[in-house]
Amino acid sequence: MADVQFGFAKNSELIFTLKGRHLCSSINPTREAHQWASVHQESWKDCDAIIVLGIGCGYHVRALQGISQAQVVAIDPNQEVVAAALRVHPLDLKETEALALDSTSKFEKCLPLEQATRKSYAVLVHEPSAASHPELFTELKDFLLGRRAEGLQWLFRNRGLAAPRLSDFEGDTGVSLKTLDALWRRQISGQENLSPLLQALRELII
């Protein structure tokens, strides 16, 4: 872990930096984590699963576990960060799927993500983690929310539905409200559970 340096916050909680950058509060990580979870509560309060992009030092993931009954899946593109967070919280994160995934192609083969996205779910971005790779985190989030063609197709397949054709996206890899509304109107025969999924995806895009 050449890029990871362990130390202590001012309240004596174990933390680490990545290439000299703090991934959580250097004063009171637990307090900051609970504030973060509360700020995002409107996004996850009615969900059965929460997908967190960015593990950081793990305090915000632990906070979500403590105040939510939802399944929590935490993802980070950096394997060193995942390993370090598990070292900081060897027991507290045992109920969380902490995964090192750095591309959407790996998302497509990830069973915990498949399980989470079959439920009602929220996607939260841990801003300190995303700061060093904002474009990658945006790409990963858009995939999980069905905002890109390949992500929307994956979500449909996860639920046993016929995936939209690429031609449905009019040559654009981004998914718009216009695209979803067109799929809604088509009302594919024999897939009565399609409309609720489209409605959910429409709300996620908004």
Side-chain angles (χ1 to χ4, degrees), residues 48-54 71-77 96-124 139-141 143-145 151 154-159:
D48 295 319
I50 305 171
I51 302 171
V52 182
L53 295 177
Q71 173 193 4
V72 179
V73 179
I75 297 168
D76 200 282
T96 294
E97 294 282 357
L99 308 169
L101 302 171
D102 59 3
S103 69
T104 57
S105 62
K106 293 180 180 178
F107 280 16
E108 295 183 36
K109 303 172 184 176
C110 179
L111 181 59
L113 279 180
E114 288 183 8
Q115 294 171 337
T117 53
R118 289 186 188 125
K119 309 173 184 178
S120 61
Y121 68 97
V123 179
L124 306 181
E139 177 187 349
L140 299 180
K141 180 180 180 180
F143 180 90
L144 290 170
L145 293 179
W154 177 71
L155 290 171
F156 270 67
R157 289 194 298 269
N158 273 357
R159 301 194 179 201

Side-chain angles (χ1 to χ4, degrees), residues 12-68:
S12 299
E13 290 182 314
L14 181 63
I15 61 174
F16 61 85
T17 59
L18 179 67
K19 296 182 178 180
R21 288 191 309 106
H22 283 283
L23 298 178
C24 69
S25 171
S26 61
I27 299 173
N28 191 324
T30 293
R31 181 177 63 193
E32 177 198 54
H34 280 281
Q35 291 172 343
W36 181 88
S38 296
V39 165
H40 293 284
Q41 188 168 3
E42 283 300 313
S43 298
W44 59 257
K45 67 178 182 179
D46 296 321
C47 295
D48 295 319
I50 305 171
I51 302 171
V52 182
L53 295 177
I55 292 178
C57 293
Y59 285 93
H60 61 295
V61 180
R62 185 181 70 171
L64 281 174
Q65 284 183 178
I67 63 177
S68 170

Side-chain angles (χ1 to χ4, degrees), residues 121-123 144-147 155 199-206:
Y121 68 97
V123 179
L144 290 170
L145 293 179
R147 290 176 176 167
L155 290 171
Q199 176 63 30
L201 290 170
R202 194 179 195 280
E203 292 171 359
L204 285 171
I205 287 179
I206 293 173

